[in-house]
Amino acid sequence: MSDFPIHPYPWQLNDWQHLVQQIAAQKLPHAMMIAGPRGIGKRHLADALAQLLLCAAPIEGTACGRCRGCELNKSQTHPDLLWLEPEEEGKAIKVDQVRELTESLSKTAQQGGYKVVIIEPAEAMNGNAANALLKSLEEPAANTMLVLVTHAPSSVLPTIRSRCQMRKLPMPRTEQVLHWLSPLVVGSNTTPDALLVAARGAPLTALALLQGDALEQREQTLQQFVRLTLGQVSAIEVAANWQSGDVTGLVEWLLGLLHSLARWRAGANDPQIELAPVEWRERLNNLNLPLLHRYIEKILLSKRQLLSGANPNKQLLLEELLLDWGALLRASTNRAMASGH
């Protein structure tokens, strides 16, 4: 790891201080769920906590970086730090993976201290996998810490959630993120404000958009959606373009855009909508809010389906969602005409 030991991001300092106090008071739970929006550094916080727990000589609430535990962590070979994640991105965490993990947890820590497990994303555990984990949560071994990282806590089984201490991380304050982001955009062809709008406030998403042509791709995605709204391109064509990319990420981006639209239609200012083409905003002036909220609910179901590790036909899923967007626009127009608006 180039950045070792890991330090919490500026917007995580309050949560970090609380964790350090729990460790000092020996009140750390055996299982914790770190939940919050994607792109805010939840896994980063979990990794920092793991490093601290496995350090033999912490300095002021941070791993020392020099002890045997830190050396092992630095080379990513610590035998008492375990990860549980899908074998393939976007797929489910399987029951056999959990059984292998629980067998490892039954053994004594090789370095004589904590055993730490990081499970991410926790919502990727299928029903059998989650049930197999329950025993470890109900009868935790001594000096064992399970950290579940999730973007969608409501998609994790209630029996799992209830056995974890919940730590919900909010979207960071804009001022904090801009201060952190400003030196990172020096030399690029964008501004911190524009980058953060594109990332919908998520700092690590903003940072990722700086890499390669990610920002350009995000802009192209928006332009395709604008053209779809204006009837210049078909839902089938847009779905064909989108299905080759990160479909889960696209669905999350679309959800964020629709939430912005809902706020804008309710009278709130939203930078992403204000920066969009005028003709697009004019087309959306009649957007029916109740219908929009129902559409958002449908997309949330599709997001849960994708995050659960299910393997739907991505093109068909996108085609259905985008065809429904066209139906929503037509129904909104018809209702507005019927009401004389």
Short mmCIF file of all heavy atoms in Angstrom, two decimals, residues 38 86 90-93 121-126 150-155 246 248-249 251-252 255 300-312 317:
data_model
loop_
_atom_site.label_atom_id
_atom_site.label_comp_id
_atom_site.label_asym_id
_atom_site.label_seq_id
_atom_site.Cartn_x
_atom_site.Cartn_y
_atom_site.Cartn_z
N ARG A 38 -22.78 5.46 -1.83
CA ARG A 38 -21.58 5.01 -2.53
C ARG A 38 -20.66 6.20 -2.78
O ARG A 38 -21.11 7.32 -3.04
CB ARG A 38 -22.00 4.38 -3.86
CG ARG A 38 -20.89 3.62 -4.58
CD ARG A 38 -21.39 3.10 -5.92
NE ARG A 38 -22.37 2.06 -5.76
CZ ARG A 38 -22.09 0.76 -5.68
NH1 ARG A 38 -20.84 0.36 -5.73
NH2 ARG A 38 -23.06 -0.13 -5.56
N PRO A 86 -17.75 -10.60 -3.24
CA PRO A 86 -18.12 -11.48 -4.36
C PRO A 86 -16.88 -11.94 -5.13
O PRO A 86 -15.92 -11.19 -5.28
CB PRO A 86 -19.00 -10.59 -5.23
CG PRO A 86 -19.54 -9.55 -4.30
CD PRO A 86 -18.44 -9.30 -3.31
N GLY A 90 -20.21 -7.66 -8.96
CA GLY A 90 -21.62 -7.63 -9.32
C GLY A 90 -22.35 -8.93 -9.03
O GLY A 90 -23.57 -9.00 -9.21
N LYS A 91 -21.62 -9.96 -8.59
CA LYS A 91 -22.26 -11.24 -8.29
C LYS A 91 -22.51 -11.36 -6.78
O LYS A 91 -22.12 -10.50 -5.99
CB LYS A 91 -21.37 -12.40 -8.79
CG LYS A 91 -21.15 -12.40 -10.29
CD LYS A 91 -22.45 -12.61 -11.05
CE LYS A 91 -22.25 -12.59 -12.56
NZ LYS A 91 -21.46 -13.71 -13.08
N ALA A 92 -23.15 -12.45 -6.38
CA ALA A 92 -23.50 -12.66 -4.98
C ALA A 92 -22.31 -13.22 -4.19
O ALA A 92 -21.41 -13.87 -4.76
CB ALA A 92 -24.68 -13.62 -4.87
N ILE A 93 -22.30 -12.96 -2.89
CA ILE A 93 -21.40 -13.66 -1.97
C ILE A 93 -22.07 -14.99 -1.64
O ILE A 93 -23.22 -15.03 -1.19
CB ILE A 93 -21.17 -12.84 -0.68
CG1 ILE A 93 -20.41 -11.55 -1.01
CG2 ILE A 93 -20.41 -13.66 0.36
CD1 ILE A 93 -20.25 -10.60 0.17
N PRO A 121 -19.72 -5.86 -0.66
CA PRO A 121 -20.85 -5.18 0.00
C PRO A 121 -21.71 -6.21 0.73
O PRO A 121 -21.99 -7.29 0.19
CB PRO A 121 -21.60 -4.55 -1.17
CG PRO A 121 -21.32 -5.45 -2.33
CD PRO A 121 -19.95 -6.03 -2.12
N ALA A 122 -22.13 -5.88 1.92
CA ALA A 122 -22.88 -6.84 2.74
C ALA A 122 -24.18 -7.25 2.08
O ALA A 122 -24.65 -8.38 2.26
CB ALA A 122 -23.16 -6.23 4.12
N GLU A 123 -24.76 -6.35 1.28
CA GLU A 123 -26.04 -6.68 0.63
C GLU A 123 -25.88 -7.72 -0.47
O GLU A 123 -26.87 -8.24 -0.99
CB GLU A 123 -26.71 -5.42 0.05
CG GLU A 123 -25.93 -4.72 -1.05
CD GLU A 123 -24.99 -3.65 -0.54
OE1 GLU A 123 -24.63 -3.69 0.67
OE2 GLU A 123 -24.61 -2.78 -1.34
N ALA A 124 -24.62 -8.05 -0.83
CA ALA A 124 -24.39 -9.06 -1.87
C ALA A 124 -24.52 -10.48 -1.33
O ALA A 124 -24.51 -11.43 -2.11
CB ALA A 124 -23.01 -8.87 -2.50
N MET A 125 -24.61 -10.65 0.00
CA MET A 125 -24.82 -11.99 0.54
C MET A 125 -26.21 -12.48 0.18
O MET A 125 -27.20 -11.80 0.47
CB MET A 125 -24.67 -11.99 2.07
CG MET A 125 -23.24 -11.85 2.56
SD MET A 125 -23.12 -12.06 4.36
CE MET A 125 -23.88 -10.53 4.93
N ASN A 126 -26.29 -13.65 -0.46
CA ASN A 126 -27.62 -14.20 -0.71
C ASN A 126 -28.19 -14.76 0.60
O ASN A 126 -27.52 -14.75 1.63
CB ASN A 126 -27.59 -15.26 -1.83
CG ASN A 126 -26.69 -16.44 -1.50
OD1 ASN A 126 -26.55 -16.83 -0.34
ND2 ASN A 126 -26.10 -17.03 -2.53
N THR A 150 -21.90 -1.50 3.63
CA THR A 150 -23.06 -1.61 2.75
C THR A 150 -23.48 -0.25 2.19
O THR A 150 -23.44 0.76 2.88
CB THR A 150 -24.26 -2.26 3.48
OG1 THR A 150 -25.40 -2.25 2.62
CG2 THR A 150 -24.61 -1.53 4.76
N HIS A 151 -23.89 -0.27 0.91
CA HIS A 151 -24.47 0.91 0.28
C HIS A 151 -25.99 0.91 0.47
O HIS A 151 -26.64 1.94 0.26
CB HIS A 151 -24.18 0.92 -1.23
CG HIS A 151 -22.77 0.61 -1.59
ND1 HIS A 151 -21.70 1.33 -1.09
CD2 HIS A 151 -22.23 -0.36 -2.37
CE1 HIS A 151 -20.58 0.82 -1.58
NE2 HIS A 151 -20.87 -0.20 -2.35
N ALA A 152 -26.54 -0.23 0.85
CA ALA A 152 -28.01 -0.39 0.93
C ALA A 152 -28.37 -1.24 2.14
O ALA A 152 -28.67 -2.43 2.01
CB ALA A 152 -28.54 -1.02 -0.35
N PRO A 153 -28.34 -0.65 3.35
CA PRO A 153 -28.60 -1.44 4.56
C PRO A 153 -29.96 -2.12 4.56
O PRO A 153 -30.11 -3.20 5.12
CB PRO A 153 -28.47 -0.42 5.70
CG PRO A 153 -28.57 0.93 5.04
CD PRO A 153 -28.04 0.76 3.68
N SER A 154 -30.95 -1.51 3.92
CA SER A 154 -32.29 -2.11 3.89
C SER A 154 -32.32 -3.40 3.08
O SER A 154 -33.26 -4.19 3.19
CB SER A 154 -33.32 -1.12 3.33
OG SER A 154 -32.99 -0.78 1.99
N SER A 155 -31.28 -3.62 2.25
CA SER A 155 -31.21 -4.84 1.46
C SER A 155 -30.49 -5.97 2.19
O SER A 155 -30.36 -7.07 1.67
CB SER A 155 -30.48 -4.57 0.13
OG SER A 155 -31.20 -3.62 -0.64
N ASP A 246 -20.97 -0.06 -16.75
CA ASP A 246 -21.31 -0.45 -15.38
C ASP A 246 -22.78 -0.16 -15.16
O ASP A 246 -23.16 0.97 -14.84
CB ASP A 246 -20.42 0.34 -14.39
CG ASP A 246 -20.84 0.14 -12.93
OD1 ASP A 246 -21.62 -0.79 -12.66
OD2 ASP A 246 -20.39 0.93 -12.08
N THR A 248 -24.96 -1.15 -12.89
CA THR A 248 -25.34 -0.75 -11.52
C THR A 248 -25.00 0.72 -11.28
O THR A 248 -25.81 1.47 -10.74
CB THR A 248 -24.61 -1.63 -10.48
OG1 THR A 248 -24.91 -3.00 -10.73
CG2 THR A 248 -25.06 -1.27 -9.07
N GLY A 249 -23.82 1.13 -11.72
CA GLY A 249 -23.43 2.53 -11.58
C GLY A 249 -24.35 3.45 -12.37
O GLY A 249 -24.70 4.54 -11.91
N VAL A 251 -27.53 2.88 -13.14
CA VAL A 251 -28.83 2.93 -12.47
C VAL A 251 -28.75 3.86 -11.26
O VAL A 251 -29.67 4.65 -11.00
CB VAL A 251 -29.28 1.51 -12.06
CG1 VAL A 251 -30.46 1.56 -11.10
CG2 VAL A 251 -29.65 0.70 -13.30
N GLU A 252 -27.63 3.80 -10.53
CA GLU A 252 -27.46 4.70 -9.39
C GLU A 252 -27.37 6.15 -9.85
O GLU A 252 -27.91 7.05 -9.21
CB GLU A 252 -26.23 4.30 -8.58
CG GLU A 252 -26.42 2.98 -7.85
CD GLU A 252 -25.28 2.68 -6.90
OE1 GLU A 252 -24.14 3.08 -7.20
OE2 GLU A 252 -25.53 2.03 -5.87
N LEU A 255 -30.84 7.28 -10.74
CA LEU A 255 -31.61 7.55 -9.51
C LEU A 255 -31.27 8.93 -8.95
O LEU A 255 -32.16 9.69 -8.57
CB LEU A 255 -31.30 6.50 -8.45
CG LEU A 255 -32.18 5.27 -8.40
CD1 LEU A 255 -31.63 4.26 -7.41
CD2 LEU A 255 -33.62 5.64 -8.03
N LEU A 300 -35.49 1.86 -7.94
CA LEU A 300 -34.90 1.36 -6.69
C LEU A 300 -34.97 -0.16 -6.62
O LEU A 300 -34.03 -0.82 -6.18
CB LEU A 300 -35.61 1.98 -5.48
CG LEU A 300 -35.17 3.39 -5.09
CD1 LEU A 300 -36.13 3.99 -4.08
CD2 LEU A 300 -33.75 3.35 -4.51
N LEU A 301 -36.08 -0.73 -7.08
CA LEU A 301 -36.22 -2.19 -7.10
C LEU A 301 -35.19 -2.80 -8.05
O LEU A 301 -34.58 -3.84 -7.74
CB LEU A 301 -37.63 -2.58 -7.54
CG LEU A 301 -38.75 -2.36 -6.52
CD1 LEU A 301 -40.11 -2.65 -7.14
CD2 LEU A 301 -38.54 -3.25 -5.29
N SER A 302 -34.97 -2.17 -9.19
CA SER A 302 -33.97 -2.66 -10.14
C SER A 302 -32.57 -2.57 -9.54
O SER A 302 -31.75 -3.48 -9.72
CB SER A 302 -34.02 -1.85 -11.44
OG SER A 302 -35.28 -1.97 -12.07
N LYS A 303 -32.31 -1.50 -8.81
CA LYS A 303 -31.01 -1.34 -8.16
C LYS A 303 -30.79 -2.46 -7.14
O LYS A 303 -29.71 -3.07 -7.08
CB LYS A 303 -30.93 0.03 -7.48
CG LYS A 303 -29.67 0.25 -6.67
CD LYS A 303 -29.72 1.56 -5.91
CE LYS A 303 -28.59 1.66 -4.90
NZ LYS A 303 -28.65 2.91 -4.10
N ARG A 304 -31.83 -2.75 -6.34
CA ARG A 304 -31.70 -3.81 -5.34
C ARG A 304 -31.45 -5.15 -6.01
O ARG A 304 -30.68 -5.98 -5.52
CB ARG A 304 -32.96 -3.87 -4.47
CG ARG A 304 -33.13 -2.68 -3.55
CD ARG A 304 -34.22 -2.90 -2.52
NE ARG A 304 -34.53 -1.66 -1.83
CZ ARG A 304 -35.63 -0.94 -2.01
NH1 ARG A 304 -36.55 -1.36 -2.87
NH2 ARG A 304 -35.83 0.17 -1.34
N GLN A 305 -32.12 -5.36 -7.14
CA GLN A 305 -31.94 -6.61 -7.88
C GLN A 305 -30.49 -6.75 -8.34
O GLN A 305 -29.88 -7.82 -8.22
CB GLN A 305 -32.89 -6.62 -9.08
CG GLN A 305 -32.90 -7.93 -9.85
CD GLN A 305 -33.80 -7.88 -11.07
OE1 GLN A 305 -34.30 -6.81 -11.43
NE2 GLN A 305 -34.00 -9.01 -11.72
N LEU A 306 -29.92 -5.67 -8.84
CA LEU A 306 -28.53 -5.70 -9.32
C LEU A 306 -27.55 -5.89 -8.16
O LEU A 306 -26.59 -6.64 -8.26
CB LEU A 306 -28.21 -4.41 -10.08
CG LEU A 306 -28.89 -4.25 -11.44
CD1 LEU A 306 -28.83 -2.80 -11.91
CD2 LEU A 306 -28.23 -5.16 -12.48
N LEU A 307 -27.81 -5.18 -7.03
CA LEU A 307 -26.90 -5.26 -5.89
C LEU A 307 -26.98 -6.61 -5.17
O LEU A 307 -26.06 -7.00 -4.47
CB LEU A 307 -27.19 -4.13 -4.89
CG LEU A 307 -26.82 -2.71 -5.34
CD1 LEU A 307 -27.29 -1.69 -4.32
CD2 LEU A 307 -25.30 -2.60 -5.53
N SER A 308 -28.09 -7.30 -5.33
CA SER A 308 -28.27 -8.57 -4.62
C SER A 308 -27.43 -9.69 -5.23
O SER A 308 -27.37 -10.79 -4.67
CB SER A 308 -29.74 -8.99 -4.66
OG SER A 308 -30.11 -9.38 -5.98
N GLY A 309 -26.76 -9.40 -6.35
CA GLY A 309 -25.97 -10.44 -7.00
C GLY A 309 -26.77 -11.21 -8.03
O GLY A 309 -26.26 -12.13 -8.67
N ALA A 310 -28.04 -10.85 -8.21
CA ALA A 310 -28.84 -11.48 -9.27
C ALA A 310 -28.22 -11.10 -10.62
O ALA A 310 -27.50 -10.11 -10.73
CB ALA A 310 -30.28 -11.00 -9.18
N ASN A 311 -28.51 -11.89 -11.62
CA ASN A 311 -27.87 -11.66 -12.91
C ASN A 311 -28.93 -11.43 -13.99
O ASN A 311 -29.10 -12.25 -14.89
CB ASN A 311 -26.98 -12.86 -13.26
CG ASN A 311 -26.05 -12.53 -14.41
OD1 ASN A 311 -25.76 -11.36 -14.68
ND2 ASN A 311 -25.59 -13.55 -15.10
N PRO A 312 -29.66 -10.29 -13.91
CA PRO A 312 -30.70 -10.05 -14.92
C PRO A 312 -30.09 -9.73 -16.27
O PRO A 312 -28.92 -9.36 -16.37
CB PRO A 312 -31.43 -8.82 -14.35
CG PRO A 312 -30.38 -8.10 -13.56
CD PRO A 312 -29.51 -9.17 -12.98
N LEU A 317 -33.35 -5.06 -18.96
CA LEU A 317 -33.66 -4.24 -17.77
C LEU A 317 -33.62 -2.75 -18.12
O LEU A 317 -34.52 -1.98 -17.78
CB LEU A 317 -32.68 -4.56 -16.65
CG LEU A 317 -32.88 -3.85 -15.30
CD1 LEU A 317 -32.47 -4.77 -14.14
CD2 LEU A 317 -32.05 -2.56 -15.23
#
